Amino acid sequence: MADHSKRDKGLSRRSFLRSASAGAAAAAAACSTTSKNKPKSGKGATTAAAQRDAVIGPQGVALELEVNGAKRTVTVETRTTLAEALRGALDLTGTKVACDRGACGACTVLLDGAPVCSCLTLAVDAAGRRVQTVEGLAAGDKLSPLQQAFVECDATQCGYCTPGMLMSCKGLLDRNPRPSEAEVRAAVAGNLCRCGTYPHVFAAVARVGASKAKG
Amino acid sequence: MAKRVKAKLGFPGHIESVEIELPPGEPAPWDADSKLAVIGKDATRHDALAKVTGKARYTTDIKRPGMLYARVLRAAHAAAEVQQIDVAKAKKLAGVKGVVVLPVRNARFVGQPLAAIAATSEDVAARALALCKVSYKTRPFVVQLDDAMKAAAPAVHAGGAGASAGAGKSANIRKSKSRRRGDVAKGLRAAKHKVEATFRTQVVLHSSLEPHGIVVDYKDGKADVWCSTQATFAVRDEIAKALEIPVARVRVHAEYVGGGFGSKFHAGTHGLLAAKLSRQTGAPVRLCLDREEEQTATGNRPDSLQRLTLGADARGQLSAMKTVSYGTGGIAGGAGTASPLYNLYDCKSKAAVEHDVYTNAGPAAPFRAPGHPQGAFALEQAIDMLAERAGVDPIAFRINNDKNPVRQAELRRGAERIGWDARRNKKAGGGAKLGAHGELRRGIGVANGLWYNTGRARGEIHVKLHHDGMVEVISGGQDIGTGARTLLAMVVAEELGLSPSAIRTHIGDTSGPYAPGSGGSTTTPTMSPAARKAGYRARLRLEALARKVLGLGDDAALVFADGKVQSKDGGKQISFKKLCARLPEQTMTFSGPRAPNYKAYRETTAGVQLAEVEVDIETGVVRVVKIVAVQDAGRLLNPLTARSQVNGAVLQGMSMALFEERVMDSQQGHVTNANLEQYKIAGAVDVPEIDVQLFDVYNGSNSTGALGLGEPPIVATPGAIANAVYNAIGARVMALPITPARVLAALAAAKKGGAR
Amino acid sequence: MKPFELVNASSLSSALGALGQAKGAVAKAGGVDLLDLMKEGISAPPRLINLRTIAGLDKIAAASGEQGAVLGPLATLAQLAESKALAGVPAYAALAEAAAAAATPQIRNMATLAGNLCQRPRCWYFRDADYHCLRKGGNKCFAHSGDNAFHAIFENDKCAVVHPSAAAVALSALGAKLELQRAGKDGKVATRELAMADFFVAPSKDVQRENVLAAGELISAVKLPAPQAGQRSAYIKQKQKQSFDWPLGEVAVSLTVTAGKIAAASVVLGSVAPIPWRAKKAEAALVGKAADEALIKAAAEAALAGADPLDDNGYKVPLVKALVRRALTQALVSK
């Protein structure tokens, strides 16, 4: 006796809808220009994403992003997440996607200085805002003090959570240069590390805080 | 020609001189008298820079020109005959480039792979999946251990092997292992004190942050493969087999791997599908699983039902130990929890019987000390229960019944570090009422742990000396986050008198020399002696050259230190770099094959942990305040990364003890929490103070005497926490995870004077 | 996630207009829950109306005189947690505490007040598109016959989800009102104001919705009553793990103490029912009395009276009782 439930159509409804999103941007989004210039106000008004009250998408949405201080123009779908745009069109694969539902923090980037999950942020919502990723932490070959402390304190194991962990810590240190351990714990409460590197993350942030206290 | 040497082995306070027979050409082991410049000192990870800058490319980050994206069609039913998989419509969708259908006759769990489709984007691949039509004839299924053990349970492997069962017995139970020594019945009859207790543990998911994934680029009878794996060479062999090409035509890359914990030893069905899709399409194919697939179909730590019987004589000496255990992860794997009972404690009479139980869920996979944290959770609570009945302090009881001197010393160290005598409640549940509402109770508990591995005679390391003084260390194996890569550099640096950071390491590429998979905590004890051997051979060559260059006699001793090579009296010296410039070849490669182990001082790894917990008796919420982890590290190579590993194992053990549990739904057979939100993993706020006490034990097993630290430190954690909970509240929680519901139930039962 | 069209709204009125124009159009604020639902295949709207592009909707106006605080619908949980207008006012402390304790730092930076109130339940059967449960138009509550450890202990006979909004629990205790707007037929904006209790919908009334928002209707403001003399509030939640986790139970209380006696009390329980659960018996037990340990205990007992746990969630009864005692104690000792 065949089961004629709706789930019998090869795949469940969920699997279709759910997976139809995965990595959509990787192929669809394209990076058209790159500029080291700081974005000028008002210039973004030419892109589709900057238009107001007009219907845009689903495909071919031009978008200006300021990523790590450089202005980048990408073309995305409306459904393209910021994580997909960064990892796909912009090839900034430091930002990781591990749960794709905002539960693990591997995709954490700073948006106007605040840590957010780039997997639950639409790329269009980052238009005209400052995006900072792990690739923007070092100045050329010179590591930031936070990165240096992560190296020295062995605050990485497999390293997959590291970019998100770093961005949450940076978000904290930018607001609070000398956080207590409790504040560090709270700041990375949304960053899952399956290797259990947390004690060394706490030590690394404390080391940065201590050096700031001295200087 | 074997050489005999004397070595000072043991651990501080227990050093003895042992004669060791060295295999031909092997250096003498580093022993207690060795003066080492690099080994035993903190060294930062060789790949830390790539990891903190985002430059580290994991498999999920690989892009190849013309790469296709593949997704897996998965079974929608937990048990069904698969009558037809119709992919005709999917094939016609624009952008679909390849389809591979597996010859699956029976679906045995929701999420079982049936086919895969490669397309120009993940989106197209996913839409194509939705166009596939699978005809199922569904059958009853079973997803819970207790249900599967019933005589009337649906047979999970019906239609396949192992489906027959005797009348009145479940077809899902298979006796997997039975061990016995002495006479347990006699030992129990002789016992003055007895404990019979049943313990349960849950299914735990590896949950590596990087999901399983692979990129296969097959062209002209050759394949380049990027794979998130902990066994590059196993993946190479499996892909070669799938593509029907020689293993030498497959090159597997895995420089960075986002965690494995035992789940990534194979290419996996998805890997074989990707290989076939690449061959079919002539294009590189990427197949990376999403989180739900990762949590459903890539392995787990099976659950367990363990019935333990222990007996002790009037003086508290163990007379008999017995365990009968059952466990299921799903369609494969299950038991394996009896080893702690069988291998810990000196007791003449032991019996251990283990059973696999099959359920309609994804198969089990090795997971960080398979079977051991589960087994120790049961054993170490039962030991505490027996000690209490015998009126003996739990630590004294353990020392009395376990002659392993390392573990005895570790127990003493641990007791001192946690304040056992002064701070532990003399009467369980009798501690002070703490907290703003008097709701908190603190307790302290202990548990023993053990592991086994001193490495094997497998694999080799290459050391390359270049004429400009650059030294490269090459292994085809992988570093899944353990720090193994850095250890190889440290060992060679020690041998050549260099700084570890001066050495370049190349790993995760099967064009390098063979290395076994990262499992059983064997990587460090297997590969570090190979690295030493290669470095030692390079050094012998440089010594001969230096003697010539410096005009020294053939037997003149030389010192390699601080980037210099000098005569023993310091009179003559040359920089390492200049010496390399005199090498007869531009580049010289020295091979270090792993020799068999030497006569070992001790072949098991000892570890003990002590936990302090705080229990809210009104809400049942448990907080781990502190863990003292006293861990035999063998010859400790890198304390910095060793501490990371112990921290990580303790936290995974704590997370298992308090939070994690795969929940299967009996109605439709889904994992209800196949995500990182409802599958609860300990986070930053849950981290206790972890006091890592690394015990340097010079075991002389091989030239480095190092041990792997991936697995040993997780074994004792859940048991120590459970014993601490009992000490805090005077009620025992016999099942994992120790949830508020279970704590409150245990308290209520204790109040009624029932189970304790 | 299926493809969708997007309108970046410039103003609330243009958003309301855009919502009315396309069938099935859905408003997006922070997008946290919406994207999750879309990725899981629970929701597939053809068009999203983006409210994030509207300036000023995140404003938090402090209370002044007879006027209570007014919260913009797009104020983020992080803003609510840090706002002096809330955290610094004893009467409003519960809301700041609820916002600060919710989710993760990243989510709090993204999630908005209105979005938090309108998020859909986290029940693992509801969130799995392959379970055609009552709330999704099916004929069965899978939690009743499945694993219900994290489900409701009140009002659970039809559908046993718990309401996921922490802000809703706190706002209910504070007696907040919601201002709702939609585009009227005449092109004008129609505004209505509702008490929190009238906003949420119990399964007995309609099992497929959690609130009364009509198609095209938005929360345009959240209005708090002016703080009363002697009013203080508190919010407490208990999670199994102390990093990111959904609560096992929550309690928000607001007490107005005058002349040593409790003049007004509200006690609202969270994560125990499909709606924020007002514990009226506990409130009645408190009002008119001087607070002491026995009264607090009696109120906690009253709060859980009538709880009807399922197979796996009986632990919530003692757990939430303890939280009620603690929340009342915290509110009473706060200044």
Side-chain angles (χ1 to χ4, degrees):
Chain A
M1 180 196 73
D3 176 348
H4 291 294
S5 81
K6 69 181 178 62
R7 299 175 68 243
D8 233 8
K9 289 171 188 148
L11 247 205
S12 61
R13 187 173 69 94
R14 170 178 55 161
S15 305
F16 166 54
L17 289 172
R18 179 168 56 81
S19 48
S21 73
C31 176
S32 52
T33 63
T34 305
S35 157
K36 287 279 173 205
N37 299 331
K38 294 261 177 202
K40 288 170 191 136
S41 60
K43 189 138 186 284
T46 54
T47 64
Q51 287 174 34
R52 293 292 173 263
D53 301 327
V55 177
I56 58 172
Q59 283 94 28
V61 180
L63 171 69
E64 263 188 18
L65 296 173
E66 187 201 317
V67 182
N68 299 327
K71 195 162 65 175
R72 313 288 297 263
T73 304
V74 293
T75 303
V76 300
E77 297 187 44
T78 49
R79 62 174 164 164
T80 304
T81 64
L82 179 56
E84 289 167 338
L86 291 169
R87 290 177 50 79
L90 298 173
D91 200 29
L92 294 170
T93 55
T95 300
K96 303 292 186 244
V97 175
C99 78
D100 206 24
R101 297 294 187 280
C104 76
C107 67
T108 303
V109 300
L110 302 187
L111 198 56
D112 286 342
V116 300
C117 294
S118 60
C119 77
L120 288 183
T121 301
L122 293 179
V124 291
D125 273 334
R129 302 173 74 182
R130 276 183 303 123
V131 181
Q132 289 165 278
T133 72
V134 68
E135 288 91 347
L137 289 179
D141 285 341
K142 190 168 164 39
L143 295 182
S144 71
L146 179 63
Q147 288 171 307
Q148 190 61 40
F150 263 57
V151 172
E152 287 165 7
C153 296
D154 201 42
T156 70
Q157 287 187 51
C158 85
Y160 211 74
C161 78
T162 306
M165 195 71 83
L166 280 164
M167 297 319 288
S168 282
C169 292
K170 176 174 170 54
L172 170 68
L173 287 165
D174 286 351
R175 280 183 291 117
N176 178 358
R178 276 180 284 155
S180 66
E181 187 180 300
E183 288 168 329
V184 180
R185 285 171 180 254
V188 298
N191 291 82
L192 195 64
C193 170
R194 188 47 159 161
C195 300
T197 308
Y198 302 107
H200 287 181
V201 171
F202 306 157
V205 179
R207 182 171 291 200
V208 179
S211 70
K212 287 197 176 151
K214 272 185 230 148
Chain B
M1 32 158 208
K3 203 165 101 185
R4 290 183 162 278
V5 294
K6 288 238 169 188
K8 296 273 183 64
L9 302 179
F11 59 98
H14 295 74
I15 300 291
E16 50 191 279
S17 185
V18 177
E19 192 173 84
I20 292 178
E21 190 175 305
L22 299 181
E26 283 293 301
W30 288 328
D31 69 359
D33 287 345
S34 301
K35 301 270 179 291
L36 303 176
V38 173
I39 297 302
K41 303 196 167 64
D42 287 357
T44 59
R45 258 170 226 262
H46 263 220
D47 50 13
L49 186 70
K51 285 173 176 173
V52 301
T53 52
K55 286 180 182 152
R57 289 244 174 195
Y58 296 75
T59 299
T60 49
D61 305 329
I62 298 299
K63 290 173 186 168
R64 305 289 296 166
M67 187 169 81
L68 300 175
Y69 296 79
R71 290 197 65 82
V72 179
L73 178 71
R74 293 181 180 275
H77 295 282
E81 184 188 321
V82 178
Q83 296 174 316
Q84 198 196 17
I85 302 172
D86 180 356
V87 296
K89 270 192 177 169
K91 276 184 174 166
K92 284 181 194 148
L93 183 69
V96 170
K97 301 292 182 188
V99 180
V100 172
V101 179
L102 292 167
V104 177
R105 293 276 305 281
N106 288 286
R108 303 194 199 280
F109 69 95
V110 173
Q112 181 177 333
L114 301 178
I117 296 181
T120 49
S121 72
E122 295 229 12
D123 186 36
V124 174
R127 281 192 281 134
L129 288 189
L131 295 174
C132 296
K133 186 173 161 42
V134 184
S135 307
Y136 298 97
K137 184 178 171 191
T138 60
R139 289 196 297 259
F141 64 91
V142 62
V143 294
Q144 314 290 356
L145 177 78
D146 292 26
D147 295 341
M149 288 170 65
K150 287 175 187 158
V156 169
H157 285 286
S164 65
K169 278 189 177 166
S170 167
N172 300 318
I173 301 176
R174 186 181 70 97
K175 193 190 266 191
S176 70
K177 201 172 184 184
S178 188
R179 286 175 278 181
R180 176 177 295 277
R181 65 168 170 261
D183 186 337
V184 169
K186 193 176 153 199
L188 284 173
R189 280 196 303 274
K192 169 95 190 302
H193 307 287
K194 259 191 349 190
V195 164
E196 284 178 86
T198 300
F199 299 88
R200 285 174 181 270
T201 64
Q202 77 282 39
V203 174
V204 178
L205 301 173
H206 299 76
S207 312
S208 302
L209 273 203
E210 183 185 31
H212 284 66
I214 196 165
V215 177
V216 183
D217 191 349
Y218 175 84
K219 228 178 268 131
D220 307 326
K222 274 174 32 184
D224 267 295
V225 176
W226 289 260
C227 186
S228 186
T229 180
Q230 56 195 95
T232 48
F233 287 92
V235 170
R236 179 195 66 171
D237 293 357
E238 290 163 6
I239 296 293
K241 197 175 165 201
L243 293 172
E244 299 165 278
I245 55 176
V247 293
R249 306 284 279 173
V250 178
R251 183 176 174 191
V252 174
H253 309 259
E255 189 174 6
Y256 301 101
V257 179
F261 311 112
S263 71
K264 291 180 178 168
F265 283 113
H266 299 284
T269 308
H270 67 279
L272 305 183
L273 285 166
K276 287 181 176 169
L277 284 167
S278 182
R279 184 174 62 183
Q280 190 186 91
T281 59
V285 171
R286 174 193 199 266
L287 205 171
C288 293
L289 304 190
D290 68 18
R291 181 52 55 185
E292 184 178 12
E293 292 174 300
E294 182 71 15
Q295 305 298 92
T296 302
T298 66
N300 59 65
R301 185 191 292 280
D303 62 13
S304 71
L305 167 65
Q306 306 175 54
R307 298 198 179 103
L308 270 65
T309 313
L310 305 185
D313 66 18
R315 293 172 304 126
Q317 215 65 41
L318 284 163
S319 62
M321 301 172 76
K322 182 183 168 191
T323 180
V324 179
S325 77
Y326 299 83
T328 186
I331 57 167
T337 60
S339 292
L341 180 139
Y342 205 70
N343 297 323
L344 271 170
Y345 300 107
D346 306 321
C347 174
K348 280 190 193 128
S349 300
K350 293 192 183 186
V353 186
E354 300 168 301
H355 304 82
D356 292 335
V357 180
Y358 302 119
T359 49
N360 293 104
F367 192 162
R368 206 168 196 163
H372 281 66
Q374 304 98 298
F377 167 75
L379 172 66
E380 291 300 290
Q381 288 214 80
I383 288 285
D384 262 29
M385 292 160 80
L386 191 59
E388 189 176 38
R389 274 174 207 181
V392 182
D393 172 87
I395 286 186
F397 188 93
R398 283 172 172 79
I399 289 174
N400 291 344
N401 282 287
D402 179 1
K403 297 293 172 273
N404 182 318
V406 179
R407 207 176 289 108
Q408 289 185 343
E410 288 174 339
L411 282 166
R412 293 191 180 102
R413 168 92 65 92
E416 186 191 311
R417 298 292 304 182
I418 208 152
W420 180 266
D421 291 330
R423 301 181 56 243
R424 180 172 171 273
N425 297 323
K426 295 288 170 283
K427 182 178 181 305
K433 297 178 179 180
L434 306 169
H437 313 274
E439 76 283 19
L440 302 177
R441 301 288 183 279
R442 286 207 174 192
I444 289 176
V446 66
N448 279 347
L450 87 165
W451 197 246
Y452 312 98
N453 227 300
T454 48
R456 287 174 287 178
R458 297 184 73 195
E460 69 177 309
I461 294 289
H462 289 173
V463 166
K464 269 190 189 175
L465 297 183
H466 295 277
H467 67 98
D468 63 353
M470 169 62 76
V471 179
E472 294 184 290
V473 179
I474 304 162
S475 167
Q478 59 289 315
D479 182 341
I480 58 173
T482 61
R485 176 182 197 149
T486 311
L487 302 184
L488 301 180
M490 291 175 75
V491 169
V492 173
E494 182 70 51
E495 208 49 55
L496 300 180
L498 302 171
S499 149
S501 60
I503 289 176
R504 291 186 61 172
T505 47
H506 302 276
I507 63 155
D509 179 345
T510 55
S511 59
Y514 175 80
S518 298
S521 298
T522 59
T523 307
T524 296
T526 297
M527 299 314 291
S528 66
R532 184 158 180 225
K533 178 74 167 288
Y536 175 69
R537 283 182 166 175
R539 176 182 165 132
L540 291 179
R541 182 70 189 79
L542 289 168
E543 279 185 355
L545 182 65
R547 287 190 194 104
K548 216 167 89 184
V549 170
L550 298 174
L552 296 167
D554 284 353
D555 293 329
L558 291 162
V559 176
F560 284 61
D562 305 324
K564 289 189 293 263
V565 181
Q566 52 191 352
S567 58
K568 198 155 190 196
D569 59 9
K572 293 187 172 175
Q573 66 169 52
I574 182 170
S575 79
F576 184 86
K577 203 171 166 177
K578 281 188 180 151
L579 185 61
C580 286
R582 307 285 291 266
L583 283 167
E585 310 282 350
Q586 296 264 309
T587 292
M588 296 186 77
T589 300
F590 299 87
S591 168
R594 171 64 154 91
N597 275 340
Y598 311 165
K599 178 195 169 188
Y601 172 71
R602 199 161 294 284
E603 287 176 347
T604 59
T605 309
V608 307
Q609 290 187 17
L610 296 94
E612 179 169 3
V613 302
E614 188 172 83
V615 184
D616 184 330
I617 58 164
E618 294 179 354
T619 61
V621 172
V622 177
R623 181 172 76 92
V624 178
V625 178
K626 180 173 183 172
I627 298 278
V628 177
V630 195
Q631 186 58 54
D632 171 0
R635 157 68 69 176
L636 181 57
L637 300 183
N638 186 354
L640 181 64
T641 53
R643 281 194 298 272
S644 284
Q645 279 206 289
V646 177
N647 283 339
V650 164
L651 289 174
Q652 273 189 6
M654 184 196 83
S655 193
M656 172 183 173
L658 299 185
F659 307 130
E660 297 182 34
E661 179 168 28
R662 180 191 74 177
V663 179
M664 291 299 303
D665 172 53
S666 294
Q667 301 165 97
Q668 291 188 183
H670 286 220
V671 179
T672 66
N673 55 351
N675 52 53
L676 296 180
E677 170 202 336
Q678 288 153 321
Y679 183 80
K680 298 169 189 272
I681 298 174
V685 185
D686 305 290
V687 174
E689 179 191 348
I690 305 174
D691 179 4
V692 180
Q693 296 284 312
L694 295 167
F695 240 61
D696 235 334
V697 181
Y698 315 120
N699 62 39
S701 305
N702 49 58
S703 65
T704 65
L707 288 176
L709 282 178
E711 287 157 304
I714 197 177
V715 177
T717 317
I721 289 171
N723 281 332
V725 167
Y726 175 72
N727 185 244
I729 63 174
R732 266 199 192 280
V733 179
M734 317 281 272
L736 291 181
I738 304 173
T739 58
R742 290 204 170 102
V743 170
L744 291 173
L747 281 165
K751 208 171 178 181
K752 275 189 201 154
R756 46 174 215 152
Chain C
M1 198 155 40
K2 279 194 138 183
F4 54 84
E5 297 170 332
L6 182 80
V7 174
N8 284 322
S10 64
S11 67
L12 195 54
S13 61
S14 73
L16 292 169
L19 273 174
Q21 272 166 22
K23 191 162 184 275
V26 166
K28 183 191 81 66
V32 175
D33 191 42
L34 182 57
L35 262 61
D36 195 338
L37 290 163
M38 291 166 71
K39 286 184 177 193
E40 288 295 337
I42 311 289
S43 175
R47 184 180 291 181
L48 296 189
I49 311 304
N50 194 5
L51 308 180
R52 272 180 80 152
T53 44
I54 304 171
L57 284 187
D58 61 351
K59 200 173 166 221
I60 298 173
S64 136
E66 295 296 295
Q67 177 71 50
V70 180
L71 316 174
L74 263 65
T76 63
L77 296 182
Q79 284 174 284
L80 295 174
E82 285 156 23
S83 168
K84 291 239 167 10
L86 300 174
V89 181
Y92 296 159
L95 180 57
E97 287 159 5
T104 68
Q106 294 95 319
I107 301 289
R108 292 196 295 273
N109 284 331
M110 304 157 73
T112 64
L113 176 57
N116 186 270
L117 294 175
C118 295
Q119 65 186 310
R120 305 216 65 192
R122 305 302 308 188
C123 167
W124 45 31
Y125 298 106
F126 172 72
R127 290 273 163 174
D128 185 334
D130 289 342
Y131 284 72
H132 194 50
C133 73
L134 273 177
R135 193 161 289 273
K136 297 202 290 272
N139 55 17
K140 180 179 180 188
C141 170
F142 289 89
H144 282 158
S145 40
D147 192 309
N148 45 49
F150 304 112
H151 287 77
I153 55 173
F154 290 106
E155 178 89 28
N156 56 11
D157 53 330
K158 197 160 185 190
C159 160
V161 301
V162 296
H163 199 278
S165 169
V169 178
L171 288 171
S172 297
L174 300 190
K177 291 205 160 116
L178 301 180
E179 182 190 270
L180 312 182
Q181 292 188 338
R182 64 195 293 195
K185 285 200 178 96
D186 53 2
K188 284 184 188 156
V189 170
T191 302
R192 60 172 170 155
E193 209 168 271
L194 285 179
M196 292 295 291
D198 298 325
F199 180 70
F200 297 105
V201 175
S204 54
K205 282 193 190 137
D206 185 344
V207 76
Q208 288 192 56
R209 54 164 60 228
E210 292 84 48
N211 58 60
V212 300
L213 269 185
E217 195 169 38
L218 292 175
I219 298 174
S220 52
V222 177
K223 298 178 174 178
L224 301 184
Q228 303 298 302
Q231 187 190 359
R232 59 282 291 272
S233 70
Y235 168 90
I236 286 186
K237 77 155 70 168
Q238 184 62 61
K239 302 181 283 190
Q240 185 176 340
K241 66 177 172 118
Q242 306 317 312
S243 302
F244 173 43
D245 201 1
W246 291 92
L248 304 173
E250 307 160 88
V251 177
V253 301
S254 171
L255 300 175
T256 305
V257 181
T258 48
K261 285 193 174 164
I262 297 170
S266 83
V267 178
V268 180
L269 315 182
S271 301
V272 299
I275 55 173
W277 192 253
R278 187 110 185 244
K280 287 183 182 156
K281 282 180 190 159
E283 295 170 357
L286 291 164
V287 170
K289 309 222 177 71
D292 60 17
E293 209 172 303
L295 182 71
I296 287 172
K297 208 171 165 216
E301 291 297 324
L304 273 298
D308 188 12
L310 304 166
D311 287 348
D312 308 321
N313 65 3
Y315 71 94
K316 283 193 174 189
V317 175
L319 183 144
V320 177
K321 263 185 208 172
L323 299 185
V324 174
R325 292 197 299 273
R326 292 173 196 180
L328 288 171
T329 307
Q330 183 178 317
L332 286 163
V333 300
S334 70
K335 300 252 155 55

